[in-house]
Amino acid sequence: MKNERIGLIGRHDDPEIQLLKAKIEDLGAQAIVVDFWQYPRFSQSVIALDRILYDEVDLTNLDAFYLRQLGYFSPLPQKEFSRQEWETYYEKFNEFIANEREVMSYRESLIQILEMLKPVINPYFCAFYHKLKLYQYWKLSNAGLPVHDFLAGNDYLSLKRFIHKGNMVAKPMTGGYVRMLDESTLEGERSSLRQRPIIAQHRIAGRMLRCFVLADRVLGTCELVHKPDETDARLGIVAMERFELADEFGDIALRASQTLGMIFAGVDLILDEVKGTVFVLECNPAPLFRSFEAQTGLPISQELALYLVNEAG
Amino acid sequence: MTFGLIGSHYWKHICTLKRELVDRGHKAFIILPTYFPQYYLATVSKATITLDHIELLDLDGFYVGLLETRERFFRGRFGKSIWLALRHRYLEFAKCEIENLSLQLSLLLMLGDMLPCVNSPYSLLLTRLRVASLRKLEANGIPVADLLITNDPAEDARVSKCVRVEEDNVLDVPCFPRCLESCLRLIQSGAAEIWKVMGIRHQKIRKMIVADGNLERQEPIPSQVSELVERILKTLDLQLAQVDFIKVDSEVRVGDVHPMPDWTSFEEATGEPISAQVAELLVQSGGAR
């Protein structure tokens, strides 16, 4: 297993990228980080009909790619500008946004062209699911997978009727924290529904699980043990423990990732042991794995590296 | 039948399309997603997608002609004091817009999964994947114009007959990716032509617009170009597009593909009944459903 060259599209300082790079190198292959955060200020790149260069490496000569981050979804950067930056953009915001659009288009075109030529894990469109949670729920539900009832939108009265049905949480469409939702909190947010929609979803108590899947197999499952009453899976974690997931639930995780076209995924499940049911919360196309494997010993990065090297071969 | 037209009331081609559908005895209403969420009520559940309490899944098809955010709000011309005050509102605005964009795109993709759409909502992504689309065409044996996009100054020396995108307005990004398209200078000097060809799947369009840098004129579409357009639509999974070809000497190559074209000026210049043909396409696909 020598000489394979794997491109890792992500940031140099990303711990997941660093770990995966080390694992690929342990297998005797070469890992090259393609860091678009350096582009176009500090990196040079070319797309022509016969080559794709990134800092003088012809990416068409690499054998496979892992797509950790696509970058931002909208050309409006999600950042707080300093007063000095903001003053600089006075009467020039058009050009700034035009630049952002060009860079976004360049980066995404490059990744999609690579996908035409080489294996890319995960495929380009999968990265969008991270920002299209609603579409994800819809697709999973239409495929017959167990998804909590939800109602999304900005219609106050419809949302109010929906939350009467039980214990609810509010979720953002793209990113941010999950929070409890009842009539009084909805009332408090009523005016903001003219600015942004929300997703209201039934809250089901149960064990919060992250199931890692790769191609057609389950690599392993971790349970995220939370403080009582924590609503967001990322907050209040007191332990990550290895969990033996029943085969039937593992199949659900596999079907969920396959429905969305993901080869590698972290599928979030919630297990109601009393009723013996599981619900799919979300499929993550570029999941964090470093902390999970550090605490549970699951060899996720090892398996992913092996898969990438085999695909490259 | 009833159709949804995703676009603006202020766009002539959307309004003429609506008129064509109504003339055929159908209903059509225009949806401008840019105005969501201030002016529309939208809800999505497992089984329903409603906009102002109209069930969109009951419709027979959609024309998908727009997806955009309200980023123009921050692109207006403001006095300096107003501009400085806007800094504190920017981040919240950007966060709201990404949520709205997510809902808009999710909603369109759901409709695309369930109903006939011209074009598929996935084609919206082609507008941000221009270079990838050209590479895809080239990989399928369709001749495309030489293309070099770079932020590497050293590449300049390797390119002849090129025009660089103006950098005067580029701000704070020292190495902006520049589009060096080898035919543009030739077009400006009149040595090359752009052929603007409208393509609609399985519909015959006879005329095209030819631009030689100074004037535009209409000409019959050569049969090999018609065949090429049909292949382009098939390769990119489009039912409708404007394809811009670049002709240098006797060689014709694809320069660009527009999946959401405004066909008004094309229709006026050539007399080709594009609106009627798009309406027919919608009616046929809705009827097939």
Side-chain angles (χ1 to χ4, degrees):
Chain A
M1 207 177 281
K2 298 279 178 195
N3 301 324
E4 283 85 6
R5 301 176 80 201
I6 318 286
L8 305 178
I9 301 170
R11 292 179 66 137
H12 279 104
D13 58 1
D14 180 344
E16 317 296 314
I17 288 286
Q18 289 168 352
L19 177 60
L20 187 57
K21 183 172 187 288
K23 296 288 182 182
I24 290 168
E25 287 166 352
D26 285 350
L27 293 169
Q30 195 181 343
I32 294 141
V33 179
V34 182
D35 185 347
F36 273 111
W37 270 254
Q38 307 287 325
Y39 178 82
R41 191 181 295 265
F42 302 117
S43 293
Q44 290 180 334
S45 180
V46 176
I47 300 177
L49 289 177
D50 60 343
R51 64 193 187 284
I52 301 173
L53 301 179
Y54 195 84
D55 281 345
E56 298 184 348
V57 176
D58 189 341
L59 300 182
T60 63
N61 290 335
L62 272 56
D63 304 299
F65 293 87
Y66 175 68
L67 176 55
R68 165 85 177 102
Q69 279 158 328
L70 186 62
Y72 41 70
F73 174 61
S74 142
L76 281 172
Q78 309 283 301
K79 64 174 276 193
E80 195 147 13
F81 290 99
S82 68
R83 187 185 161 90
Q84 192 184 0
E85 283 175 311
W86 196 250
E87 277 200 79
T88 313
Y89 295 139
Y90 178 58
E91 293 193 328
K92 290 180 176 175
F93 203 71
N94 282 0
E95 289 82 7
F96 171 73
I97 293 295
N99 284 0
E100 294 294 305
R101 275 188 188 282
E102 290 293 301
V103 172
M104 186 170 79
S105 171
Y106 185 90
R107 188 184 57 226
E108 293 187 16
S109 281
L110 187 148
I111 293 164
Q112 182 139 80
I113 295 167
L114 292 175
E115 196 179 306
M116 292 177 211
L117 305 171
K118 307 284 170 161
V120 177
I121 315 304
N122 282 309
Y124 161 77
F125 190 78
C126 292
F128 277 84
Y129 284 116
H130 191 53
K131 300 291 184 191
L132 297 173
K133 292 198 194 317
L134 188 57
Y135 186 49
Q136 201 183 124
Y137 297 158
W138 170 275
K139 283 206 73 126
L140 294 173
S141 177
N142 275 1
L145 288 154
V147 175
H148 288 191
D149 258 358
F150 63 84
L151 186 78
N154 64 341
D155 182 351
Y156 170 78
L157 292 174
S158 300
L159 287 164
K160 190 176 170 182
R161 277 194 297 274
F162 183 71
I163 62 176
H164 272 296
K165 292 181 182 174
N167 205 4
M168 295 283 168
V169 290
K171 292 180 171 182
M173 301 272 164
T174 56
Y177 293 108
V178 179
R179 59 196 190 281
M180 295 301 293
L181 183 67
D182 58 24
E183 206 168 318
S184 66
T185 51
L186 183 68
E187 182 63 38
E189 293 181 20
R190 188 171 183 171
S191 62
S192 71
L193 290 173
R194 283 175 181 256
Q195 301 302 321
R196 63 163 85 187
I198 58 167
I199 303 174
Q201 197 167 33
H202 271 287
R203 183 178 189 230
I204 294 182
R207 301 177 84 161
M208 201 85 83
L209 308 174
R210 165 67 62 92
C211 179
F212 289 93
V213 303
L214 181 62
D216 56 358
R217 68 200 173 99
V218 172
L219 295 180
T221 304
C222 305
E223 178 178 4
L224 300 171
V225 183
H226 292 88
K227 288 179 189 166
D229 298 326
E230 186 56 63
T231 49
D232 192 286
R234 291 159 295 179
L235 300 175
I237 298 172
V238 292
M240 291 177 185
E241 294 167 357
R242 201 186 276 219
F243 186 87
E244 289 306 319
L245 190 66
D247 287 348
E248 57 177 317
F249 298 146
D251 287 344
I252 287 175
L254 274 173
R255 274 180 52 212
S257 63
Q258 286 163 358
T259 298
L260 303 179
M262 294 180 192
I263 297 163
F264 175 58
V267 183
D268 290 340
L269 304 169
I270 192 151
L271 173 67
D272 183 336
E273 281 187 312
V274 178
K275 292 181 182 165
T277 53
V278 75
F279 284 92
V280 181
L281 293 177
E282 191 177 343
C283 290
N284 298 285
L288 300 176
F289 44 76
R290 190 185 174 103
S291 54
F292 287 96
E293 66 179 55
Q295 296 208 34
T296 64
L298 285 171
I300 300 158
S301 57
Q302 173 78 22
E303 293 282 355
L304 180 59
L306 195 57
Y307 183 85
L308 285 164
V309 172
N310 283 336
E311 284 291 296
Chain B
M1 288 188 278
T2 307
F3 297 94
L5 311 179
I6 312 284
S8 169
H9 291 86
Y10 295 105
W11 292 351
K12 211 169 166 182
H13 70 292
I14 294 287
C15 294
T16 48
L17 177 57
K18 181 182 173 187
R19 176 65 195 262
E20 290 289 343
L21 289 163
V22 173
D23 277 352
R24 285 166 172 74
H26 306 291
K27 289 180 187 164
F29 61 92
I30 298 169
I31 300 166
L32 178 57
T34 319
Y35 284 171
F36 177 86
Q38 280 175 305
Y39 306 121
Y40 285 115
L41 291 176
T43 59
V44 178
S45 72
K46 278 184 181 177
T48 62
I49 304 173
T50 68
L51 205 61
D52 284 350
H53 306 294
I54 296 168
E55 178 50 77
L56 299 186
L57 293 176
D58 289 343
L59 270 56
D60 297 285
F62 280 85
Y63 174 75
V64 180
L66 174 75
L67 174 80
E68 67 173 12
T69 55
R70 294 176 301 162
E71 69 205 33
R72 287 201 189 115
F73 176 75
F74 273 88
R75 295 166 66 186
R77 293 182 68 85
F78 299 101
K80 195 155 190 181
S81 60
I82 295 175
W83 178 252
L84 291 178
L86 285 174
R87 178 169 75 93
H88 302 292
R89 286 180 57 195
Y90 172 77
L91 183 58
E92 184 53 28
F93 178 84
K95 283 180 177 171
C96 287
E97 284 310 288
I98 199 168
E99 295 287 296
N100 292 327
L101 181 62
S102 174
L103 179 65
Q104 279 182 47
L105 190 53
S106 289
L107 198 142
L108 291 178
L109 291 168
M110 290 170 199
L111 293 175
D113 284 354
M114 305 299 287
L115 300 172
C117 287
V118 176
N119 284 308
S120 155
Y122 284 93
S123 70
L124 295 167
L125 294 176
L126 290 185
T127 58
R128 59 198 265 175
L129 295 169
R130 179 174 173 236
V131 185
S133 308
L134 292 174
R135 281 289 296 250
K136 190 171 181 183
L137 295 178
E138 198 250 350
N140 281 278
I142 294 165
V144 304
D146 277 349
L147 189 74
L148 177 69
I149 300 179
T150 183
N151 68 338
D152 182 356
E155 288 286 341
D156 283 12
R158 301 186 207 174
V159 178
S160 60
K161 295 177 184 173
C162 75
V163 161
R164 183 180 303 168
V165 167
E166 287 297 326
E167 288 178 281
D168 299 348
N169 295 324
V170 174
L171 170 84
D172 196 33
V173 181
C175 294
F176 185 66
R178 287 165 300 165
C179 189
L180 308 176
E181 296 184 31
S182 62
C183 288
L184 289 182
R185 180 171 288 173
L186 291 170
I187 293 160
Q188 287 175 341
S189 68
E193 293 176 340
I194 288 189
W195 291 3
K196 297 176 186 173
V197 183
M198 202 64 69
I200 305 176
R201 277 273 190 112
H202 311 307
Q203 307 266 15
K204 188 78 180 167
I205 296 172
R206 292 175 180 79
K207 290 175 191 159
M208 64 180 183
I209 292 176
V210 176
D212 64 6
N214 299 313
L215 292 170
E216 289 192 344
R217 62 185 189 277
Q218 53 149 307
E219 281 189 14
I221 302 175
S223 60
Q224 70 270 29
V225 171
S226 289
E227 287 163 22
L228 213 48
V229 169
E230 193 65 32
R231 277 177 62 200
I232 290 164
L233 294 178
K234 200 171 172 188
T235 304
L236 299 179
D237 195 21
L238 297 169
Q239 299 195 65
L240 162 75
Q242 180 183 313
V243 183
D244 293 346
F245 291 94
I246 297 171
K247 178 177 173 271
V248 182
D249 301 325
S250 58
E251 211 174 7
V252 179
R253 290 169 178 265
V254 180
D256 212 347
V257 180
H258 307 277
M260 291 177 282
D262 176 353
W263 59 77
T264 308
S265 57
F266 186 93
E267 197 168 52
E268 286 170 357
T270 62
E272 291 283 336
I274 305 297
S275 305
Q277 294 193 358
V278 178
E280 262 325 298
L281 191 63
L282 275 168
V283 171
Q284 281 166 18
S285 52
R289 178 188 174 234

